[in-house]
Amino acid sequence: LSRVGSAVLMSATLAPLDAYKSESGLDVLEDDGQTVESYVSSGRFDPANRASLIADLPPFTYENQSGDVAEDYADAIADVVATTDGNVLVTMPSYRMGDWIADRLADHPQVDLSASRIRADEPSSDAETERLKDWFFSGGKKVVATGLRGTLTTGVDYDGDKLAAVAVAGVPIRNLQSDYTTAIQTAYEGRYGDANGFE
């Protein structure tokens, strides 16, 4: 960043901002006398129309993606779908788990939608993603299940009545053996110590 005249960094998730500045190096630029300005939008959605609810369930992890814990999550997500008037986006740790919950919701006794109104997202082209969004937004209640690192979870404008609820299960699961992930872990080990890189 110090080699360019100016830069704009933006994201929907720059929080906490001081941690972002530290991790991106913006604090170093500031310390060197560079001008760093921050703007945080308060959002345009009416707070009266927003609510965050947390289910009292065990953490949804790689180790418990089947069995009783998974079924407890399926029941909680089915409850969200059954009690929501409008479209529901279900975000799971991976596309594979998105497929699983879509199938599970299609035959769940609490869900009164036909299977044709429940779809699983998958890694695809921009054109396929646009077709899925067109279907999702085209009227009538629908459910789309996707992976948390998918294209439907960032950069999509769910304005108006396109989306009534989002159910989030767990955190994104990434391949921890990839060269990219190893490089990130090595960088953190260099900063925080060998035993702390992964954490």
Side-chain angles (χ1 to χ4, degrees), residues 96-170:
R96 182 183 61 78
M97 291 306 297
D99 285 340
W100 170 79
I101 195 64
D103 289 343
R104 187 67 187 90
L105 292 173
D107 64 10
H108 198 283
Q110 279 182 266
V111 177
D112 60 355
L113 286 174
S114 69
S116 66
R117 300 190 74 75
I118 301 170
R119 287 196 185 168
D121 182 25
E122 57 190 39
S124 61
S125 67
D126 288 342
E128 272 303 311
T129 300
E130 287 304 313
R131 282 193 283 278
L132 179 61
K133 287 181 351 191
D134 288 344
W135 170 82
F136 193 39
F137 302 152
S138 66
K141 179 176 176 176
K142 298 183 188 84
V143 175
V144 170
T146 189
L148 274 163
R149 299 184 63 83
T151 55
L152 295 178
T153 59
T154 184
V156 177
D157 193 358
Y158 292 103
D159 60 334
D161 61 357
K162 291 178 181 173
L163 188 62
V166 178
V168 180

Side-chain angles (χ1 to χ4, degrees), residues 15-33:
L17 195 55
D18 60 340
Y20 178 78
K21 282 184 169 183
S22 172
E23 294 306 311
S24 64
L26 291 173
D27 58 347
V28 174
L29 293 177
E30 257 179 335
D31 292 345
D32 288 344

